[in-house]
Amino acid sequence: MKHRILIVDDEPNIVMSLEYAFKKKGFEVFIARDGSEALTILKDTIPDIVLLDIMMPNVDGYQTLIHIKNTVSLEATKVVFLTAKNKASDIEKGLKIGADKYLIKPFSVKKIVSEILELVT
């Protein structure tokens, strides 16, 4: 069975490299450029995992995560923050509101893929 991942980030280069890497690993990949686009996709799609930036226009990653955690149909969906916000208080806040993992930019694509594979297998 194909795993489904929703990548939510407003930086096109990050999205392209992650999309390529996850498709190569057999994932079905969905893309959103901000939280509001992600929420629209999540109305019709239940991914296994959401890879989510925090600092985005319109709806930020925190608001998106709170929505996911409050949506019954998404209760099994894992959420991983992938962000440049690297202060201890940022990490604590992200995990406190429900992120399953908190990863920091800049990053190695190989490391991100391996972290995600740990969560879905």
Side-chain angles (χ1 to χ4, degrees):
M1 183 181 136
K2 252 188 179 183
H3 290 293
R4 296 171 141 203
I5 186 167
L6 171 59
I7 300 169
V8 188
D9 200 305
D10 59 336
E11 294 179 44
N13 291 340
I14 289 176
V15 170
M16 282 183 352
S17 60
L18 291 171
E19 178 182 21
Y20 175 77
F22 283 107
K23 281 185 174 177
K24 230 172 110 176
K25 289 287 183 186
F27 279 73
E28 185 176 356
V29 179
F30 299 87
I31 305 293
R33 286 159 201 72
D34 62 38
S36 60
E37 221 177 279
L39 296 178
T40 300
I41 290 168
L42 290 169
K43 287 178 184 170
D44 301 319
T45 304
I46 299 175
D48 299 296
I49 196 138
V50 176
L51 192 53
L52 182 61
D53 189 13
I54 292 175
M55 299 179 292
M56 296 179 294
N58 303 320
V59 178
D60 71 16
Y62 293 129
Q63 294 167 299
T64 306
L65 175 59
I66 290 167
H67 173 84
I68 291 168
K69 292 299 173 183
N70 290 325
T71 303
V72 174
S73 63
L74 299 172
E75 64 188 12
T77 299
K78 305 274 187 209
V79 179
V80 175
F81 274 136
L82 178 59
T83 180
K85 293 177 76 70
N86 61 0
K87 291 183 186 160
S89 59
D90 295 324
I91 296 168
E92 187 178 317
K93 178 180 179 179
L95 295 173
K96 186 176 182 182
I97 62 173
D100 294 283
K101 275 190 187 268
Y102 195 104
L103 305 173
I104 307 292
K105 293 177 184 176
F107 61 89
S108 141
V109 172
K110 190 175 178 181
K111 183 178 182 341
I112 298 297
V113 170
S114 119
E115 295 276 353
I116 297 304
L117 286 170
E118 269 182 35
L119 279 176
V120 295
T121 51

